[in-house]
Amino acid sequence: MRAWDAPASVTLPGQAALPRIFDTSAGEIVQVQEDKAASLYVCGITPYDATHMGHASTYVAFDLLHRAWLDAGVPVTYVQNVTDVDDPLLERATATNVDWRELAEDQTELFRTDMKALNVIPPAHYVGVVESIEWLFPLIEDLLRRGLAYRVPGFTDEQGVVHPDGDVYLDLKAVRELPANAEGYSWEPGEVCHLSRDEMLEIFAERGGDPNRAGKRDALDPLLWRVEREGEPSWDTGELGAGRPGWHIECTMIARRFVDGSLTVQAGGNDLTFPHHDLGAGHSWAVSARPHAKHYAHTGMVGLYGHKMSKSRGNTIEIRMSADQTAKLIKKAKTDSQRTITYDPSERPEVSNLLMLASLCNGRDPRQLAEEIGDGGAGKLKALVTEAINDYFAPIRQRREELAANEDYLLQVLHAGNDKANQVASETLDNVRKAMKMDY
């Protein structure tokens, strides 16, 4: 998959020290000991809606890590995926009566434009899930043959929906019982997130897991292969049968495909700590008998209206929005009845979210911002937040408009899309010929 154009490089005199990061797995700030070459995997978007401030915060943060390595003279293999087939994407395509492939490509192109406007260095490998399926499914077949995965019988749910036989799940108990490797490493659930089993079960259900699925050996066993359902895209892969891969196996195996050995840093938003990165490490261990990554780094969540900013909640500030649209969104934000503004995330989450939004944009401490507002109330708070966001995004929005108005750039994008469409059509025709034994 095509990424986006790289920004102009800037060379600074001298050489920086190796970067330090907060490692979620270690629970502390660590020195990243990679002086010859580093590898970075940042989990990418599910392209069903526009890029928002939460996305921008994550990708700009890890762009900084990427640049810190380069400034230290360390070459970086940077990999990022695009989850271009997934339930939220399919649901949005159905709701808007748009082909899911068209929706995915349109929103991915918007993301490329936003990353270019933010001057983010593109990954060396920008990989869609759809293009990875052909080399992903043999790994799942191997897990089945080795007794590390299993199929579950079908069932009819409470809404009367029939789920067919054959979904494949990773057997966490079997994976935990694998012998340690030569370096003494073996995988355990919780090594990244450090949560109790009860905490894992609660979060698992909230973040795409299915702990109550009938036939599973363990409620936390993650889906590897979802067999074909009527009306859903699927790929016929031989032993597994028609279907599509589960979420966690996609990212871990894309990383494994492009990086030889353990990743230096596995990165993403902190909502991916569990189950995605924690159980993803188990997938990697089961397939390759090595740690998935040496370090895990996560960004905090950007919030609005007292909740994490997310497309599903509809509380996102999008990069493409105008200053007036942003002001209207902030004006609707909930606060509380207290006139004096203080930063207290546990007791005053709505007010604290707004202060943190301003802090992310203007670089000032949210406590100092609260003191500055004092007893100015919600009106002064919202005015400050709106000004901070619009000041931060002004040059980015201007650059985005310039890119959109650049006819040569638009033609380049169209030509690249046409080339990709021709490539997919040719590959599809080759597969049809092979299936019909019409090779010539």
Side-chain angles (χ1 to χ4, degrees), residues 52 104 118 184 208 230 286 301 304 319 346 383 421:
H52 57 70
L118 288 165
E230 184 178 353
M301 294 292 98
L304 184 62
I319 295 172
S346 60

Side-chain angles (χ1 to χ4, degrees), residues 137 355 400:
F137 75 83
L355 288 166
R400 199 176 190 279

Side-chain angles (χ1 to χ4, degrees), residues 381-392:
L381 168 63
K382 292 179 181 180
L384 183 146
V385 174
T386 300
E387 181 181 8
I389 293 172
N390 283 333
D391 284 352
Y392 179 81

Side-chain angles (χ1 to χ4, degrees), residues 335-397:
T335 53
D336 56 37
S337 60
Q338 297 182 48
R339 183 164 184 80
T340 301
I341 300 301
T342 58
Y343 181 73
D344 187 343
S346 60
E347 297 297 327
R348 305 185 70 185
E350 293 91 351
V351 168
S352 298
N353 274 341
L354 288 171
L355 288 166
M356 183 54 71
L357 273 177
S359 174
L360 285 169
C361 292
N362 62 23
R364 298 180 59 193
D365 189 299
R367 294 168 185 82
Q368 293 178 348
L369 294 175
E371 290 177 7
E372 181 179 303
I373 297 167
D375 61 0
K380 190 172 180 180
L381 168 63
K382 292 179 181 180
L384 183 146
V385 174
T386 300
E387 181 181 8
I389 293 172
N390 283 333
D391 284 352
Y392 179 81
F393 276 124
I396 297 166
R397 286 164 171 162

Side-chain angles (χ1 to χ4, degrees), residues 141-180:
E141 292 175 342
D142 182 62
L143 291 171
L144 274 169
R145 284 191 290 269
R146 292 166 55 205
L148 300 177
Y150 61 95
R151 293 185 184 272
V152 297
F155 72 104
T156 302
D157 65 23
E158 295 176 354
Q159 287 73 42
V161 177
V162 177
H163 297 263
D165 293 335
D167 287 343
V168 180
Y169 286 83
L170 186 69
D171 189 333
L172 293 184
K173 181 175 183 293
V175 174
R176 292 176 66 185
E177 291 174 351
L178 289 170

